[in-house]
Amino acid sequence: MTLKMKNSSDHGKDQVVMNEGVVTLLLGITIVLVIMNTMMFNLALPAVSKDFHLSASSTSWIVTGYSIVFAMASITYSRLADFIPIRRLFIIGILFLSLAAIAGLFSHNFIMLLIVRILQASGAGSIPALSLNLISRYVPIERRGKAMALIMSSISLGLGLGPVVGGAIVEYLGWHILFAVTAVTLLLVPFFVVLIPKEEPRKGSFDALGALFIGVGTTGLLLFLTNHSWLMLLIGLIALALFIVRIRAAKEPFVLPSLFKNRSFLILGAVGIAAYLCSFATLFLMPQILVKQYGLSAIQAGLVIFPGSILAVFVSRRVGRIIDARGNNTIIRFLPLFLLASVILFALFEGTSFVSILLIYMLMSVSITILNSSVSNEMSRILLPSQLGSGLGLFQLLQFFSGAFGVAVTASALVWQKNIPLASAYSNIYWGLTIVVLLSIGCALGYLRSTLRKPQMA
């Protein structure tokens, strides 16, 4: 369907034409490849460590470096989208991702591999962030739920396909071939050139100092969580304090201070952040449970994860229509309860069979996909047009950080419980996640109460 729509970030002055359905599908395909790129390489770490004779700490930098740059790219591209044409940013991001992947095919030492992964992350982080910005800017509110649901289901599909495809490639073809899968994104560049609306650059400036402070701050905290370095924690906290000072003083700050005063934005964000924490922690735990507890291979473990991801894709289309027809409040009210049920079921039945895990993850995957679709859609409604880039970028940064936090705490919890049976250790972690979900339910109810007191912004 080709429609004329207003560019909301330019306050409705520019009329542009965008083929809404085709563009959303294009974004979905790109996101699947980006998320697969993130997930596939985790399965290659043992082989990389063996080929390059790396220690565990050196190998971890391949993941840590990618994660840090991906997070910063998300918020940076979102902020740049406020005054640089989105089409231009998409093309830059995809070129970094795909050209680095081609270089990765020829990475024969650790340093080159690390540089390639960091360059990939600098492009990969742009795609989910810019996709949310593009949809929020050009898709009308009455159809935005369907588009948001497709984006979130694409993330779920990428999370599901990554372990299956990555495990098969590493086992039968070698880890270098993983880069060939990601290099396919280069073929998508002409489609972005043709299909993404052409915009004129707007006046604006980039707060490099603010970006530096939040980058160092989040890096320090992530390194503390992954490597338990107290020095990194201190550096991170100092950088975040400087970031707060900076955004209050800068004329065009990297993150708008008004976002931290927007109670609805913060409470709603907490709901989505809790969902991401549960998702990342579960995707970290499930392969270990399936391999260590049930003796499955990496490929078999991926096949257990896959049905939940593919089910989320099929469900999302109908859910998008429901969001467009009835709004987000019903989903925000009830879906956290389904997420609560899934973590409790994991705690109770994780040790029974891998079939139980498959079925429970189907419930969790669908719950998280639907909830994140609704939360992202609702954020696009409550944020002012001038806040969209900064707000969505900050939300994605916080989501990513919560995911990294969930993985780090889960890994530490397994170490703390090394002297008890694995089944009990895994179950205890899910009881801990139950507390997180209960807090998110409180935030969801708090947000819904606030919407009754004031009208939503379109």
Side-chain angles (χ1 to χ4, degrees):
M1 184 185 296
T2 304
L3 298 169
K4 276 192 173 184
M5 284 168 281
K6 290 184 179 181
N7 181 341
S8 61
S9 76
D10 211 17
H11 305 286
K13 292 179 181 179
D14 297 331
Q15 296 287 335
V16 297
V17 175
M18 184 174 84
N19 192 319
E20 188 177 316
V22 174
V23 169
T24 306
L25 179 62
L26 175 64
L27 296 178
I29 293 170
T30 310
I31 287 174
V32 169
L33 292 170
V34 166
I35 301 301
M36 282 180 61
N37 173 63
T38 303
M39 294 298 296
M40 288 189 304
F41 216 88
N42 291 341
L43 296 171
L45 294 181
V48 171
S49 177
K50 181 180 178 181
D51 287 352
F52 295 151
H53 308 290
L54 301 175
S55 65
S57 59
S58 296
T59 306
S60 69
W61 273 102
I62 298 174
V63 175
T64 303
Y66 184 94
S67 301
I68 290 168
V69 176
F70 188 100
M72 281 306 302
S74 295
I75 190 171
T76 298
Y77 279 92
S78 281
R79 184 68 185 91
L80 291 172
D82 286 337
F83 51 88
I84 295 178
I86 286 185
R87 181 173 68 170
R88 185 182 304 173
L89 294 174
F90 261 121
I91 293 170
I92 291 171
I94 292 174
L95 286 177
F96 268 106
L97 174 63
S98 56
L99 295 178
I102 293 172
L105 291 168
F106 308 99
S107 55
H108 300 301
N109 61 70
F110 171 64
I111 297 300
M112 182 176 180
L113 175 61
L114 183 61
I115 292 172
V116 163
R117 287 297 286 168
I118 288 174
L119 288 174
Q120 277 194 301
S122 69
S126 71
I127 306 303
L130 292 176
S131 296
L132 291 180
N133 270 275
L134 185 70
I135 289 172
S136 299
R137 185 175 296 183
Y138 288 110
V139 178
I141 288 176
E142 60 269 19
R143 292 191 300 278
R144 196 176 295 165
K146 179 181 175 182
M148 288 289 187
L150 189 144
I151 295 301
M152 294 305 161
S153 67
S154 299
I155 293 175
S156 295
L157 182 58
L159 292 173
L161 282 174
V164 177
V165 175
I169 289 175
V170 170
E171 186 166 341
Y172 297 113
L173 299 175
W175 62 266
H176 279 92
I177 305 302
L178 295 174
F179 288 110
V181 177
T182 310
V184 171
T185 54
L186 184 62
L187 302 178
L188 299 177
V189 171
F191 295 98
F192 277 95
V193 172
V194 172
L195 295 171
I196 301 298
K198 184 178 180 180
E199 301 172 336
E200 294 297 325
R202 295 177 289 277
K203 291 183 179 180
S205 61
F206 183 71
D207 179 16
L209 197 56
L212 175 65
F213 287 146
I214 195 172
V216 173
T218 53
T219 299
L221 295 184
L222 282 174
L223 290 177
F224 169 71
L225 291 172
T226 54
N227 298 336
H228 306 101
S229 169
W230 291 97
L231 176 61
M232 289 296 100
L233 175 62
L234 178 62
I235 292 173
L237 292 175
I238 291 173
L240 289 177
L242 292 172
F243 169 73
I244 293 171
V245 173
R246 172 64 185 177
I247 62 174
R248 294 185 177 207
K251 184 177 179 181
E252 294 188 54
F254 187 64
V255 175
L256 299 176
S258 59
L259 292 171
F260 296 101
K261 300 176 183 177
N262 188 332
R263 186 171 178 270
S264 295
F265 169 77
L266 296 176
I267 295 176
L268 183 62
V271 179
I273 286 168
Y276 257 69
L277 192 152
C278 293
S279 176
F280 274 69
T282 297
L283 287 168
F284 172 74
L285 276 179
M286 280 182 65
Q288 298 188 59
I289 294 172
L290 295 167
V291 172
K292 295 180 180 179
Q293 195 169 341
Y294 295 104
L296 302 186
S297 67
I299 298 176
Q300 290 172 328
L303 290 172
V304 172
I305 297 171
F306 181 70
S309 302
I310 197 68
L311 179 62
V313 175
F314 286 118
V315 170
S316 66
R317 188 175 182 87
R318 180 170 179 79
V319 169
R321 293 195 188 102
I322 294 173
I323 292 174
D324 290 334
R326 302 182 183 179
N328 300 295
N329 284 5
T330 301
I331 289 176
I332 294 172
R333 184 186 303 278
F334 292 110
L335 261 294
L337 298 176
F338 287 91
L339 181 56
L340 177 65
S342 66
V343 294
I344 291 176
L345 288 171
F346 263 123
L348 292 174
F349 300 110
E350 167 278 325
T352 57
S353 73
F354 72 85
V355 176
S356 299
I357 294 173
L358 184 153
L359 295 174
I360 297 168
Y361 183 65
M362 289 172 72
L363 174 62
M364 175 179 278
S365 178
V366 170
S367 300
I368 289 174
T369 299
I370 295 173
L371 184 58
N372 279 328
S373 301
S374 193
V375 168
S376 298
N377 186 36
E378 185 71 4
M379 278 197 169
S380 73
R381 293 170 179 251
I382 66 174
L383 291 174
L384 295 170
S386 59
Q387 295 176 322
L388 268 179
S390 185
L392 293 176
L394 177 62
F395 177 53
Q396 288 204 315
L397 178 66
L398 293 175
Q399 281 184 312
F400 175 84
F401 182 81
S402 72
F405 177 81
V407 170
V409 172
T410 298
S412 298
L414 290 175
V415 174
W416 300 333
Q417 302 178 92
K418 62 183 179 181
N419 295 323
I420 68 174
L422 278 176
S424 299
Y426 296 139
S427 179
N428 291 337
I429 291 171
Y430 277 104
W431 286 121
L433 290 177
T434 299
I435 297 173
V436 173
V437 179
L438 286 171
L439 292 173
S440 77
I441 291 172
C443 290
L445 294 176
Y447 175 77
L448 294 173
R449 281 197 297 269
S450 71
T451 61
L452 294 175
R453 292 193 293 267
K454 60 182 180 180
Q456 290 185 351
M457 273 190 243

